[in-house]
């Protein structure tokens, strides 16, 4: 009799566990599939499994820390929604406007190239201007210029931005600190003149620019500077590869998370975060970042980028170069 009741008891527990596991599977399928209205939504919702896994492993004494809601086994879908919403609320205030500069295919030099936004070709100069040189008097190479427009995120009052860099013959000897940025707050088209680059500088192909509005969030390496709380939440949800979960949020909130040539916004670092500190002890504003652009024949090392930061009050520039 004892053995029979013992068997019944364990059979009962066994089938109870089977029912629990089946319920968990059903919940996962509901979270992952039922609410998925697009591919992007599906990717976003799949992160619910990280939340469930995390809370199952948490001891009761630690639940609710890092601003995470306490685990309630009766409402796993609610936990997912609440936690994802908390993280989203941390990230939305960080979003900045930016301008993506899309480099078109090379064409013949436009007759009015000096008055257009473009890579390569002829930059805008006025009477009395000279070709920019480095501290040693060696002429620099013209990279691009952007005129102010409703679509260009330039500093207040700036009507034209031009960027020059050392003539790149060997990336190993490239010194990013020799780059030069020229900002014009006013210009007079009647005084425009054409200055040709020195003959030893290989001309870059003329490529016009399409400017597009964009939204920007810090990359994973820069996020701790702006929201350590968001980093804590993401790391708790996905301790093994938290950057992948974060990039899904970036894609959902801004529509992109890739390297690009852009004005303003946040830098997207290749190696490590290296935003300079300005005169007020705050992180400097990104003026622009320039990606390696095939159409413009521009390669910063191994598919690298050049980052330029600007302190408008002190008229100070910082330059950074990173590559793979």
């Amino acid at each position: 009799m004892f053995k029979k009741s013992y068997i019944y008891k364990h059979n009962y527990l066994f089938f109870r566990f089977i029912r629990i596991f089946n319920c968990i599977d059903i919940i996962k399928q509901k979270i992952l599939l039922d609410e998925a209205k697009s591919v992007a939504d599906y990717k976003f919702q799949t992160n619910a499994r990280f939340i469930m896994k995390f809370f199952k492993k948490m001891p009761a004494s630690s639940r609710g820390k890092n601003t995470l809601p306490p685990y309630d086994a009766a409402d796993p879908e609610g936990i997912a929604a609440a936690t994802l919403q908390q993280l989203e609320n941390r990230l939305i205030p960080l979003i900045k406007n930016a301008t993506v500069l899309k480099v078109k295919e090379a064409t013949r030099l436009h007759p009015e190239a000096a008055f257009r936004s473009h890579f390569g070709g002829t930059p805008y100069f006025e009477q009395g201007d000279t070709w920019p040189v480095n501290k040693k008097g060696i002429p620099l190479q013209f990279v691009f210029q952007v005129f102010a427009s409703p679509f260009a995120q330039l500093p207040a009052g700036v009507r034209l931005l031009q960027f020059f860099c050392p003539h790149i013959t060997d990336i190993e000897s490239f010194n990013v600190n020799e780059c030069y940025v020229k900002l014009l707050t006013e210009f007079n088209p009647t005084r425009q003149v054409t200055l040709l680059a020195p003959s030893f500088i290989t001309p870059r192909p003329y490529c016009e620019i399409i400017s597009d509005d964009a939204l920007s969030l810090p990359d994973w390496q820069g996020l701790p500077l702006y929201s350590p709380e968001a980093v804590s939440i993401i790391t708790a949800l996905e301790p093994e590869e938290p950057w992948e979960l974060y990039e899904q949020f970036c894609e959902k909130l801004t529509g992109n998370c890739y390297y690009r040539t852009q004005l303003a916004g946040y830098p997207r670092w290749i190696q490590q975060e290296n935003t300079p500190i300005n005169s007020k002890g705050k992180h400097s504003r990104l003026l622009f970042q320039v990606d390696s652009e095939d159409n413009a024949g521009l390669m910063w090392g191994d598919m690298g980028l050049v980052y330029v930061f600007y302190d408008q009050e002190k008229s100070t520039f910082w330059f950074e170069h990173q590559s793979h």
Side-chain angles (χ1 to χ4, degrees):
M1 186 70 180
F2 172 79
K3 290 184 179 180
K4 187 174 182 180
S5 62
Y6 179 84
I7 293 173
Y8 284 157
K9 177 180 179 181
H10 280 266
N11 282 342
Y12 171 80
L13 292 175
F14 173 77
F15 286 109
R16 288 287 293 174
F17 276 114
I18 292 296
R19 290 195 63 186
I20 291 173
F21 288 133
N22 287 338
C23 288
I24 291 176
D25 286 337
I26 292 172
I27 291 171
K28 285 183 179 179
Q29 292 300 320
K30 178 176 177 56
I31 295 173
L32 298 179
L33 299 176
D34 289 355
E35 299 297 325
K37 297 180 181 179
S38 67
V39 174
D41 287 339
Y42 177 80
K43 290 181 179 178
F44 186 67
Q45 290 170 31
T46 56
N47 290 305
R49 70 175 183 272
F50 297 136
I51 299 170
M52 294 176 69
K53 178 175 70 174
F54 169 73
F55 280 115
K56 287 177 185 177
K57 292 181 178 180
M58 284 181 64
S61 60
S62 64
R63 290 172 188 163
K65 293 184 179 180
N66 291 329
T67 70
L68 295 174
Y71 177 58
D72 180 1
D75 187 22
E77 188 171 358
I79 294 168
T83 308
L84 296 177
Q85 187 61 53
Q86 283 192 26
L87 181 54
E88 194 168 310
N89 291 342
R90 295 282 186 182
L91 297 178
I92 288 176
L94 301 181
I95 295 175
K96 289 183 179 181
N97 291 321
T99 301
V100 177
L101 302 182
K102 297 182 179 179
V103 183
K104 299 176 67 176
E105 291 185 0
T107 62
R108 289 187 177 182
L109 188 66
H110 193 280
E112 296 184 354
F115 301 99
R116 302 172 74 90
S117 298
H118 62 85
F119 276 70
T122 305
Y124 176 88
F125 287 111
E126 291 186 355
Q127 297 172 16
D129 287 342
T130 58
W131 193 273
V133 298
N134 65 12
K135 294 180 179 179
K136 298 179 180 179
I138 301 174
L140 300 173
Q141 186 170 51
F142 172 65
V143 181
F144 75 91
Q145 68 179 24
V146 176
F147 281 91
S149 73
F151 306 102
Q153 294 288 329
L154 295 178
V158 174
R159 300 189 64 188
L160 174 62
L161 180 156
Q162 293 179 328
F163 181 52
F164 297 79
C165 75
H167 180 51
I168 302 176
T169 55
D170 179 10
I171 194 62
E172 296 298 328
S173 61
F174 173 68
N175 184 357
V176 71
N177 291 313
E178 291 184 352
C179 292
Y180 172 70
V181 174
K182 184 177 182 180
L183 299 178
L184 295 182
T185 55
E186 59 181 23
F187 62 92
N188 184 354
T190 63
R191 292 175 52 83
Q192 187 269 332
V193 296
T194 300
L195 296 180
L196 298 178
S199 58
F200 70 88
I201 294 181
T202 304
R204 296 288 179 185
Y206 174 78
C207 303
E208 296 199 347
I209 294 171
I210 298 177
S211 300
D212 282 342
D213 289 335
L215 299 176
S216 177
L217 276 169
D219 67 0
W220 176 248
Q221 299 179 77
L223 185 60
L225 300 181
Y226 305 98
S227 182
E229 298 85 358
V231 174
S232 297
I233 295 174
I234 295 171
T235 305
L237 298 179
E238 178 44 49
E240 295 180 1
E241 295 180 333
W243 54 88
E244 290 191 358
L245 177 57
Y246 177 61
E247 287 194 353
Q248 291 185 33
F249 272 91
C250 287
E251 186 173 354
K252 178 178 184 290
L253 297 176
T254 68
N256 67 80
C257 53
Y258 52 85
Y259 296 104
R260 62 192 183 184
T261 297
Q262 73 176 44
L263 305 175
Y266 295 94
R268 182 168 177 81
W269 300 103
I270 294 177
Q271 300 294 339
Q272 69 283 342
E273 207 292 324
N274 199 26
T275 301
I277 303 299
N278 63 22
S279 58
K280 294 184 177 180
K282 296 182 179 180
H283 297 103
S284 299
R285 164 183 175 163
L286 178 70
L287 181 60
F288 62 84
Q289 67 179 32
V290 190
D291 200 355
S292 294
E293 297 286 355
D294 290 339
N295 289 342
L298 198 61
M299 184 65 67
W300 307 106
D302 184 8
M303 299 299 293
L305 282 87
V306 168
Y307 310 84
V308 179
F309 297 86
Y310 180 51
D311 183 344
Q312 191 165 8
E313 291 187 7
K314 300 293 182 179
S315 297
T316 303
F317 297 94
W318 293 269
F319 302 93
E320 177 73 17
H321 168 233
Q322 293 186 4
S323 63
H324 294 279

